[in-house]
Structure formats: structure tokens, C-alpha cells
Amino acid sequence: MSQLLQQKNQRLIVKLSTAIVLMFGFGFALVPLYDVFCQVTGLNGRSIVKASEQSMTIDTTRTVRLQLMTSVAPGMSWEFTPEVNYIDVHPGENKVVQFKARNLSNRLIVGQAVPSVSPGLGANYLNKTECFCFKQQQLNAGEQTTMGLVFFISGDIPKDINTLTLSYTLFDVTEQKTDSADTEHMDSEHMDSEHMDSEHMDSAHTGSGHAGSVHAGI
Amino acid sequence: MENTTLQDHSEGNSDQHNSSHHQPAKGIMRWILTTNHKDIGTLYLCFSFLMFLVGGAMAMVIRAELYQPGLQIVEPNFFNQMTTVHGLIMVFGAVMPAFTGLANWLIPMMIGAPDMALPRMNNWSFWILPMAFTILLSSLFMEGGGPNFGWTFYAPLSTTYSPDSTALFVFAIHIMGISSILGAINVVVTIINMRAPGMTYMKMPLFVWTWLITAFLLIAVMPVLAATVTMVLTDKYFGTSFFAAAGGGDPVLFQHIFWFFGHPEVYIMILPSFGIISAIIPAFSRKKLFGYSSMVYATASIAVLSFTVWAHHMFTTGMPVAAELFFMYCTMLISVPTGVKVFNWVATMWRGSLTFETPMLFAIAFIVLFTIGGFSGLMLAITPADFQYHDTYFVVAHFHYVLVTGAIFSIMAAAYYWLPKWTGHMYDERLGKIHFWCSLISVNVLFFPMHFLGLAGMPRRVPDYALQFADFNQLVSLGGFAFGLSQLIFLVVLVKCVRGGDKAPAKPWEGAEGLEWDMPSPAPYHSHTTPPEIK
């Protein structure tokens, strides 16, 4: 093989190898790209995971039904249920719903709830001003708690979306318990779980199953 | 010199002054140490045939279990391992190495090069393959079983719920990927730098063109597959959360990354077929190929479009209508260049003086049956219809039509077409025809009723099914057993042809074109040591 050909071959090999390394990197780059893409477009039912600003105007001409679903990751012995199966709200109106969680096991378990909204295109119109899913939940053996979600639905939600389904899946993160939840941009007062819990206890009573209108107090 | 076999040739050369590495060594070391493109091509082809039989045996297990409703022969978990490993072996062990083997044998001969550009790397890219498949197959015997999550290894099936042996699966895929990438680099460098003087790009045979484009596809997407399996590995064993919702990941992301690799992969497995068919159809029609340059451009546009259609595998994951329409139209657009190709092949046959030797029979069957697979692909591309077809036997019928009667039929056509050049003997034409007709009939009994099963709602990847599907499944299984047995005829043809038979002339096919037919049969161990003259 001539010297010249060998040099040509080597240059081409270097170029092709660079392409291969870049494509390997591209495979991993798809992960953040996908996150950004979903965040911007609200695709895939990924709802916003940080607290939203409260809304101003209430559109009483429309009613949107929010269905609530919960599931617990396999192998995690928690009971996790919404107090109501659905709630009807006007766009712009603040509402509180409660979820009950109970640790059925005999050890401390830390849980992380991951929300998903269906239809995916409606995800960006469901705004949470306060949510237990913003942070991890820690329950001792047999302990029980009520966790609250404060939300409103944007006034500009498309006319053809009349029902949103909000589904929470609770995962066991005891082993990889990190402080990552704390890095979410939140007001410190919202982080205070005792504060949240007590307030939600109140609202659960006053709301009598329909998680009433105590949002003014938050 | 003209009519000598490989052995005669090496003996004839041994008295000459050539240094020893110019002749094939004796015994097993010849094959382990070889850097000769013809030896490596042979290794690839033999290995892929072996894998074809192993993967086929797994398909027999699957069809035996599905012969009747209920569970008779295997446990559901073992059934899942069979569907998974059958898919992996057929894709990575049978079809892809067979094409690489053909590339090794034919590309240097077709472009007038003495060998592949990187012979030592060539040796490696073959010899890591048996290791990869040893690892993959050994995982079947591990505690907890082998991979059982489908060849597409969707998360969380391959992460949270996968058997402990998943690391072996991941490493096997890594090694197969490295092998493919090395092979692809070799093909690109060979074609770009080693063409004989005067062999311009637009004079290259279409098999070389399609392989060049395939090699670029491999370089673009095999690293993405490597990234995917790496993420699966770290998700399962090292606590990362690429695909785990609990840690902020997303299982749907897996499908996007996988199919970004997976759809170009589909074309990796069919583009070289287009090249083979474009060689065989003109040879037995005794006419020039109709529309050579449109074939080249069609192949290139299929390759480019293949990067814009991946999400048509995911219509039911919940996408906005705009995205579904985009992927639907892009997918349908691919049928335009594909249609150009089918048109050109048919136009080549038009008013040709056709003869129907075995390679031609397989090539014509390819055109008809691949087109059927293409049409069912168009049906699947229609987003609203796909919601019904998704994950049913309709999909199974579709991709077996394009892969078995498409890719594998073309490989068989290629084997019959070039066997005289490789072995120096004519194969047994009568047996070849028997092999063809048995395969043709059984493959349609095997796969055609699957369309109806799918439309009636039978899901894929199930070891048991509802009673109303029983009759068709019995028919499908019988077709499957017949197709499996038919391939043993092929084995007999191959063995007979390697061991002896009528002496093959340099150009056994009257209408064949290309530099490989100018050299004696069998092709000498070293060919084109001085560049040939290109007309």
C-alpha cells in the first residue's frame, strides 16, 4: 500500500471516528434535549414541577373536570389515594385537593410522587401553586398523612379540553434519598411540611369531601 | 491458473518467491489470522448462516408453542426469551453479518481493489462477533434466564423488571455494535480510497453504492444504540434515572432514543438488498439496469428520510396531532423512492429475454413480496389506523415480509448468484429450484395469515391466545415448520457446491456485468493486484 494511500486512509478514519464519537455523545445529548423539548411544549404529560404564580381572573362560563388518579410503584407498601376522584373547577379558580398516604410497612420509607397529566397537551394549563410532589415525603412505620395540592387551571386552556386527568405515581426513594427535591425553586414557607399538613387538615374538614375554598389562606 | 481451486492455487504459489503471508495458511490458523477479504467474507457468511439456523430454531420453539392455544411446551418466561433472542440473533447475527460478508467478498472485486482498506481491523471486526453471540446465548443459561424484554428492550422492561443477566445482554450488544462500526469504517474507506483508476462514483455497481450509504447509516446510528444500552446498564446497575420516572427520567425517552437508532437500522438491513437485486435482475433480463442514477438518488433519499420517521413506532404513546401527522407524512414519503426502485426493476425486466435460474427466482420473489411488506408498512403509517394495528400480529406480518422475504431472500439470491464465483463450482440447479419453491410457498403460509390474525386483534409477543385465533395459528405454525425445513435444503446445496460440482466458467451468467466476472472462478486468493482497466 502506497504511502499516499495510507495517509488518505488515516485521515478518513480519523474523520469517521470523530463522527462515531459525536454520535455516541448525541445519544446522551438526546436526554436533556428531550427534557427541554417536553418542558417547552408540555408534551408527554409532563406537568410543570415548580410552583406557579397565582392567577387573577376566574372564567365562570366554563367548567373543567380534573380527574385524580394515584398509583404506587410495585414493591412499595404504601397506601396512596386521593380523597375525591374528581373535582370540577372554573379556569382561573384556585382549588385544594387532598391525598392520603399511609406507610403500611414496618420501616421508614421516603416517597417521591411523580405527576403526569393526560391529555399531554393539557399539561401546561394545569398549574400547581403548592404540591406535595415538589418534595419527598417521609413516613415512619404505620404513619399516616394527608398531603395537599393547590392548583388552578389557566384561563387560556383550549376549548376542546374539558377533562384533565392528573395521575400521581409514588416511588420508593428511601435508598437514593437525596436533597434534589430541595433544589426546586420554591418559597421556603412552602417547603415547611408541617405548615402544609396542618393547613390541609383544616381544609379537609371545611371542604367536606369537595376540598373547599380555603385557598385564600395560602 | 484459470480453473484452479483455492488449494491448487496456494500450492502453485508455494514454490514461488512470494513471502509466506501471501498464501493462505493451513488449517484453523488460516481462518483465525486471516486478513484476506475473501476469507473474512466467507467467515461472515458461514457465521451468519449458523446464526440463521440458531435463530430459526428459536422461531420453531415459538411456533410450536403457538400451534395451539394454552401453554403446552414452554413457560411464558422462556417464550419471552425466545422471542427476544430470536429477534436479536436474526437482526444482529444473521442479516447484518451476511451483508457484511457479501461486502467483504464483493466490494474489492467490484471496484478493482486488491483487498479491503483495513485488513487487520477487518479480522477483528469479524472475530469479536462470535464472542458477542457466545455472551448473548450464554445468558440464556444464567439463573433467572436471558433477556426476555423483546429485541427492542423497552425500559422499564429492560431496567426495573429485567433478569439479572441483563449486563451480559448489554455487553453483547456493545460488541456487536463495535463490530458493525468497524465493518462500516472499513467499507467507507475502501470505497472512497481504493477504487481502481477510472472507477468513478457513478460507475460503481449499485451493490457498492447501497453499501456505501448503509455504512454511513451504521456510523450514524450504531453509536446511538451503544448510548441506549449504556443508559439501560447504568439505570439497572448504577442507580441512574435516564428512564426511571422516580428519579426524574422518562420511559418514553427510551423509545425515542431507541427508534432514532431503530428506524435507520431497518434500512441498514434492506439497502444492500436493493443493491443485490439491482445486480441480479439485469443479469437474467439480459438488459442494462433501467434508471441507474435514479437508483442511486433513491437510495440516498431513503437513507436521509430514515432519520425523520422514528416516531411512527410510537404513535400510541400520546403525541400531539401535529407530530403524528409529520411522522405519518414522512413515512409515506419514503414509499416514493422505494416505488422508484420497484419501478426500475420491473422496467428492467420489461421486454428483456428473461431466464429463471434460482437467483432470478429469488430476486423476482423479493420484488413481489417486499412490495407486499411495503404496502402493509404504508397501512401501519396511517396514524389513526395504526392505533388498531399497533402491537398486533399485523406488525409481525409486516416486518417479516420485509425482512424474511426481503432481506433474507435477497441474501439467498446473492448466495446463488455468486456461489460459482466463490467456490468455482456450479450449485445444483434442481435442488436450488426445489429450495426456492418450498421456501416461497411455506413463507407465505407462514406470514400471510398473520395479517388477518393481527387485524382480528391478536397481540404480538404472547405465548397463549384466545380460542378464535387457533385455526390460523395452526396454519402459520405449519408454514413455519415447512419454511424451517426448507432451509436445510439450502444447507445441502451449499455443502454440495463447496465440495464439488460442475466447473464454473469465469462468467456463468450470460448477462452478468461487473469486474468480478472478469476473473476466473473461483476468484484467486489475491485479485486486482494490479488495478483493472475500467471502460
Side-chain angles (χ1 to χ4, degrees):
Chain A
M1 211 184 289
S2 74
Q3 198 80 40
L4 188 72
L5 183 61
Q6 223 152 23
Q7 273 175 3
K8 264 173 75 180
N9 285 355
Q10 260 155 22
R11 273 201 301 274
L12 191 54
I13 294 167
V14 169
K15 278 184 212 160
L16 294 173
S17 311
T18 318
I20 287 159
V21 173
L22 286 178
M23 284 313 289
F24 186 69
F26 177 74
F28 281 92
L30 282 172
V31 178
L33 280 175
Y34 175 80
D35 275 350
V36 170
F37 188 77
C38 289
Q39 210 69 246
V40 170
T41 57
L43 291 183
N44 214 21
R46 285 209 162 185
S47 61
I48 296 163
V49 288
K50 62 180 189 209
S52 313
E53 294 298 316
Q54 211 155 317
S55 74
M56 294 297 153
T57 52
I58 297 173
D59 178 5
T60 51
T61 62
R62 286 188 67 191
T63 309
V64 177
R65 173 165 293 189
L66 181 70
Q67 297 177 326
L68 301 170
M69 284 176 63
T70 54
S71 53
V72 180
M76 181 179 183
S77 40
W78 274 29
E79 208 172 62
F80 177 45
T81 49
E83 287 202 330
V84 293
N85 289 324
Y86 64 86
I87 176 169
D88 292 326
V89 296
H90 298 305
E93 185 183 11
N94 265 300
K95 285 282 186 183
V96 181
V97 283
Q98 302 297 334
F99 292 79
K100 278 192 295 202
R102 191 150 71 95
N103 184 348
L104 302 173
S105 76
N106 54 7
R107 64 190 177 93
L108 180 145
I109 292 182
V110 184
Q112 170 72 55
V114 176
S116 170
V117 179
S118 179
L121 288 179
N124 270 359
Y125 303 98
L126 178 67
N127 303 283
K128 300 170 193 138
T129 48
E130 249 190 52
C131 178
F132 57 92
C133 60
F134 292 159
K135 64 192 301 272
Q136 294 173 348
Q137 311 296 321
Q138 184 172 326
L139 288 184
N140 289 315
E143 195 184 345
Q144 186 172 342
T145 185
T146 308
M147 310 183 292
L149 160 69
V150 187
F151 73 95
F152 67 92
I153 289 170
S154 303
D156 55 352
I157 185 166
K159 289 270 181 281
D160 58 326
I161 301 182
N162 294 312
T163 307
L164 288 175
T165 306
L166 172 60
S167 161
Y168 280 109
T169 309
L170 199 62
F171 291 94
D172 184 351
V173 292
T174 314
E175 280 172 29
Q176 65 249 48
K177 177 174 159 43
T178 58
D179 298 327
S180 63
D182 300 341
T183 58
E184 301 286 354
H185 311 289
M186 290 183 52
D187 296 344
S188 57
E189 59 176 313
H190 289 164
M191 306 286 300
D192 184 357
S193 80
E194 263 185 323
H195 166 80
M196 250 175 103
D197 281 351
S198 62
E199 215 149 29
H200 294 151
M201 288 299 195
D202 294 346
S203 64
H205 289 299
T206 53
S208 64
H210 215 280
S213 50
V214 291
H215 53 85
I218 298 169
Chain B
M1 187 68 201
E2 306 305 314
N3 287 319
T4 47
T5 62
L6 283 179
Q7 289 79 8
D8 294 343
H9 173 66
S10 62
E11 277 164 15
N13 265 359
S14 58
D15 342 297
Q16 292 171 18
H17 61 275
N18 286 350
S19 57
S20 63
H21 75 272
H22 280 292
Q23 288 105 52
K26 296 279 176 207
I28 184 108
M29 290 319 274
R30 163 182 174 180
W31 300 103
I32 292 176
L33 300 178
T34 185
T35 55
N36 180 284
H37 73 100
K38 299 184 180 82
D39 281 354
I40 293 174
T42 305
L43 284 171
Y44 265 113
L45 288 169
C46 293
F47 177 75
S48 80
F49 192 65
L50 176 70
M51 284 295 116
F52 179 62
L53 296 180
V54 172
M58 291 173 180
M60 296 300 104
V61 174
I62 294 168
R63 284 320 318 178
E65 176 56 54
L66 292 173
Y67 185 75
Q68 284 185 329
L71 296 175
Q72 289 88 28
I73 299 172
V74 293
E75 294 290 307
N77 189 39
F78 187 72
F79 182 90
N80 289 342
Q81 292 172 44
M82 287 293 104
T83 53
T84 305
V85 183
H86 163 75
L88 289 168
I89 284 189
M90 288 308 197
V91 168
F92 295 104
V95 174
M96 289 170 71
F99 282 138
T100 317
L102 290 171
N104 266 293
W105 249 106
L106 298 173
I107 287 176
M109 299 203 302
M110 285 176 163
I111 63 172
D115 203 308
M116 297 294 278
L118 312 161
R120 222 163 273 285
M121 193 173 88
N122 208 5
N123 174 291
W124 268 101
S125 64
F126 171 75
W127 277 110
I128 58 178
L129 262 190
M131 300 181 204
F133 283 92
T134 309
I135 294 174
L136 180 67
L137 288 171
S138 71
S139 74
L140 287 171
F141 302 100
M142 301 289 153
E143 211 177 307
N148 57 4
F149 27 71
W151 87 272
T152 52
F153 60 104
Y154 276 17
L157 293 178
S158 58
T159 53
T160 316
Y161 305 104
S162 60
D164 293 339
S165 68
T166 304
L168 294 177
F169 156 82
V170 168
F171 295 140
I173 296 288
H174 269 141
I175 299 172
M176 293 168 203
I178 291 169
S179 165
S180 299
I181 289 171
L182 294 181
I185 293 179
N186 212 345
V187 167
V188 171
V189 177
T190 305
I191 295 175
I192 291 185
N193 288 349
M194 305 272 288
R195 279 167 294 129
M199 175 63 78
T200 57
Y201 280 110
M202 290 313 268
K203 276 188 189 165
M204 295 193 310
L206 264 172
F207 180 73
V208 180
W209 253 117
T210 51
W211 238 112
L212 179 64
I213 293 167
T214 303
F216 277 115
L217 283 181
L218 280 166
I219 287 171
V221 300
M222 290 314 278
V224 178
L225 175 68
T228 320
V229 288
T230 308
M231 288 183 226
V232 165
L233 183 79
T234 57
D235 262 20
K236 180 161 177 67
Y237 296 100
F238 302 108
T240 58
S241 303
F242 290 108
F243 310 128
D250 191 334
V252 178
L253 170 65
F254 174 90
Q255 298 183 28
H256 281 291
I257 304 180
F258 177 81
W259 287 114
F260 185 85
F261 146 80
H263 205 79
E265 166 71 16
V266 172
Y267 294 101
I268 287 166
M269 290 191 285
I270 204 66
L271 292 186
S273 301
F274 294 165
I276 292 165
I277 301 304
S278 304
I280 292 175
I281 294 286
F284 294 95
S285 306
R286 291 160 183 81
K287 276 175 68 190
K288 276 229 172 298
L289 180 71
F290 183 87
Y292 169 89
S293 49
S294 68
M295 285 296 217
V296 173
Y297 297 130
T299 312
S301 46
I302 291 174
V304 172
L305 283 172
S306 73
F307 287 98
T308 62
V309 298
W310 79 89
H312 68 211
H313 298 268
M314 307 168 49
F315 280 148
T316 59
T317 55
M319 275 189 280
V321 178
E324 290 186 332
L325 289 178
F326 171 81
F327 287 110
M328 171 171 124
Y329 290 134
C330 280
T331 307
M332 292 186 159
L333 204 55
I334 290 190
S335 63
V336 175
T338 314
V340 167
K341 286 176 163 298
V342 174
F343 177 85
N344 285 350
W345 292 322
V346 176
T348 306
M349 287 192 280
W350 177 252
R351 296 198 166 177
S353 33
L354 273 67
T355 51
F356 300 96
E357 286 87 346
T358 314
M360 184 62 163
L361 290 175
F362 271 105
I364 295 173
F366 169 93
I367 297 176
V368 175
L369 298 177
F370 175 77
T371 306
I372 292 179
F375 277 135
S376 57
L378 270 177
M379 290 171 72
L380 287 162
I382 303 168
T383 309
D386 180 72
F387 277 71
Q388 184 196 346
Y389 308 150
H390 186 86
D391 262 348
T392 66
Y393 258 80
F394 191 82
V395 179
V396 179
H398 158 69
F399 69 70
H400 280 97
Y401 261 90
V402 290
L403 282 174
V404 178
T405 59
I408 290 186
F409 268 33
S410 80
I411 293 166
M412 286 172 180
Y416 281 110
Y417 185 60
W418 280 291
L419 260 179
K421 181 57 62 187
W422 297 335
T423 63
H425 306 126
M426 296 305 287
Y427 60 86
D428 186 332
E429 186 66 45
R430 203 178 63 93
L431 266 186
K433 287 212 165 91
I434 294 174
H435 170 224
F436 169 75
W437 286 107
C438 287
S439 299
L440 181 79
I441 294 166
S442 59
V443 87
N444 282 292
V445 175
L446 165 58
F447 294 124
F448 207 78
M450 285 186 183
H451 290 111
F452 305 120
L453 283 172
L455 292 177
M458 178 168 163
R460 60 190 283 211
R461 290 173 170 160
V462 287
D464 186 11
Y465 50 83
L467 285 179
Q468 70 264 31
F469 304 127
D471 293 350
F472 266 9
N473 266 298
Q474 234 162 50
L475 189 63
V476 166
S477 286
L478 291 175
F481 302 143
F483 185 69
L485 288 175
S486 306
Q487 303 325 306
L488 300 180
I489 307 174
F490 188 39
L491 181 64
V492 173
V493 174
L494 291 175
V495 171
K496 271 186 75 174
C497 184
V498 170
R499 298 182 60 168
D502 299 341
K503 278 262 175 285
K507 187 168 143 180
W509 316 116
E510 192 189 347
E513 278 200 49
L515 293 175
E516 74 268 32
W517 305 112
D518 293 342
M519 60 180 71
S521 299
Y525 197 60
H526 294 289
S527 47
H528 295 317
T529 39
T530 50
E533 196 150 330
I534 314 292
K535 287 176 281 270

